[in-house]
Each structure stands twice: as structure tokens, then as C-alpha cells.
Amino acid sequence: MTERRALLIGCSRYQDRSFAELAAPFHDLAELSTVLSRQDIGGYTVQRLFDVTASEAQLAVSKLFKESKRTDVLFVHFSCHGWLDDTFRLHLVLRESHSGHIEATGFPVTLLAELLETCASEQIVLSIDCCYSGRVKRVLTHRGPSSVAWEPACKRPAPASPY
């Protein structure tokens, strides 16, 4: 039987004061949860994680992907800061992330890509709302003929004028 499961991860408060507090993640998760869980819209079972550590987020994503079946529909959303390391790799910034040691304290998007590769589900939506989110494209690979659709919101062409 197909399951529809959503994992929403957001962070607004950080131990490292280099990262400004964010107002939107809490509201993003609340609104997305409301819409996704409505039976007439999404019908997802929603798990929300807020102001968690990178290791807690990694474990939740790993569990979701490893426990999924081929027919499951998954939705994963991150709302947090994004930070580039010294080699310009993107890391998602979570509660205990440290700007000077982001490789050891952030959630590397390369790990997210590796976890995606092992997931049995053939229908996964990945939504990342952070600075430098366009870097995600560099680490995601196609798992099928049309499995990865990439269109950053900021790069969409403007609708054609009717005039």
C-alpha cells in the first residue's frame, strides 16, 4: 500500500551567533504541515522537526528513506540557513552548526544526495529553502529518465506578456 510521508525540518535559532535568527522556518513548517496533511490536498503523514541538531536531522532523513517502499511518496523540506565550506560545498545549518567547522557540524547536502540514492521510493520531492540552495543541483543525480526536475524559483522565466 502506498504511503505519503513528509519530513519537514526547520531551524531558526543557532548556538553560533554568526547565524542570524530566522523568523520564517517555524511558520513555513506550520503552514506546509497544514497543507500537506489535509486529505483533500496532500494526504501526507507529516513529521516536523524544529531547531534540531544536524545529527538528529540526518537520522530522521535516513530513517525516512530506509523505511520507504518503492510506491511511497515522500516529501522532504528544509527551512534554515545554508553555508558553503572552504571548497564551496553546501551544508544545511542546524542548531549546533558552527560557521568555522561547518564540515563537522552542518548537514552536508552531499550526504543528503547519498541517502537519496539508497531510497527505494520512486517519488520524492525535495524542497530546500536556504541561502545557496542552487548548489544542490551540483550533487543530485538522476535516478531515472525524468526523475529529477530542476527549476529554481529565482531562475524561472517571467510569464509571456499577453500584449
Side-chain angles (χ1 to χ4, degrees):
M1 184 171 144
T2 298
E3 290 186 57
R4 298 172 70 84
R5 296 187 292 162
L7 175 60
L8 312 178
I9 300 171
C11 193
S12 66
R13 295 185 183 161
Y14 304 91
Q15 292 174 357
D16 183 342
R17 295 296 174 203
S18 300
F19 303 114
E21 204 168 290
L22 297 173
F26 178 80
H27 300 291
D28 291 349
L29 269 57
E31 294 299 319
L32 269 173
S33 179
T34 299
V35 170
L36 292 172
S37 63
R38 281 187 46 183
Q39 292 304 311
D40 61 327
I41 298 176
Y44 285 85
T45 300
V46 178
Q47 178 185 8
R48 287 190 294 179
L49 299 176
F50 198 70
D51 285 347
V52 295
T53 66
S55 60
E56 290 168 330
Q58 291 167 7
L59 181 59
V61 172
S62 179
K63 282 183 177 181
L64 176 68
F65 289 166
K66 286 185 183 290
E67 294 170 1
S68 70
K69 297 180 293 299
R70 185 184 60 77
T71 58
D72 289 348
V73 179
L74 307 179
F75 185 100
V76 179
H77 174 77
F78 286 89
S79 181
C80 56
H81 280 296
W83 196 258
L84 300 179
D85 65 20
D86 293 338
T87 58
F88 303 102
R89 290 176 298 197
L90 176 62
H91 298 263
L92 303 171
V93 180
L94 296 161
R95 189 181 71 220
E96 89 301 354
S97 297
H98 188 278
S99 61
H101 302 284
I102 198 67
E103 301 86 352
T105 59
F107 189 141
V109 172
T110 54
L111 174 61
L112 185 58
E114 290 171 13
L115 293 171
L116 276 166
E117 282 297 312
T118 63
C119 184
S121 172
E122 294 179 348
Q123 300 179 78
I124 305 169
V125 175
L126 178 61
S127 168
I128 299 181
D129 182 6
C130 72
C131 289
Y132 310 110
S133 62
R135 307 281 305 178
V136 172
K137 182 180 180 185
R138 295 175 182 262
V139 297
L140 291 182
T141 59
H142 291 268
R143 293 173 48 197
S146 63
S147 63
V148 178
W150 178 257
E151 186 177 344
C154 59
K155 299 287 186 184
R156 287 188 194 133
S161 172
Y163 305 102

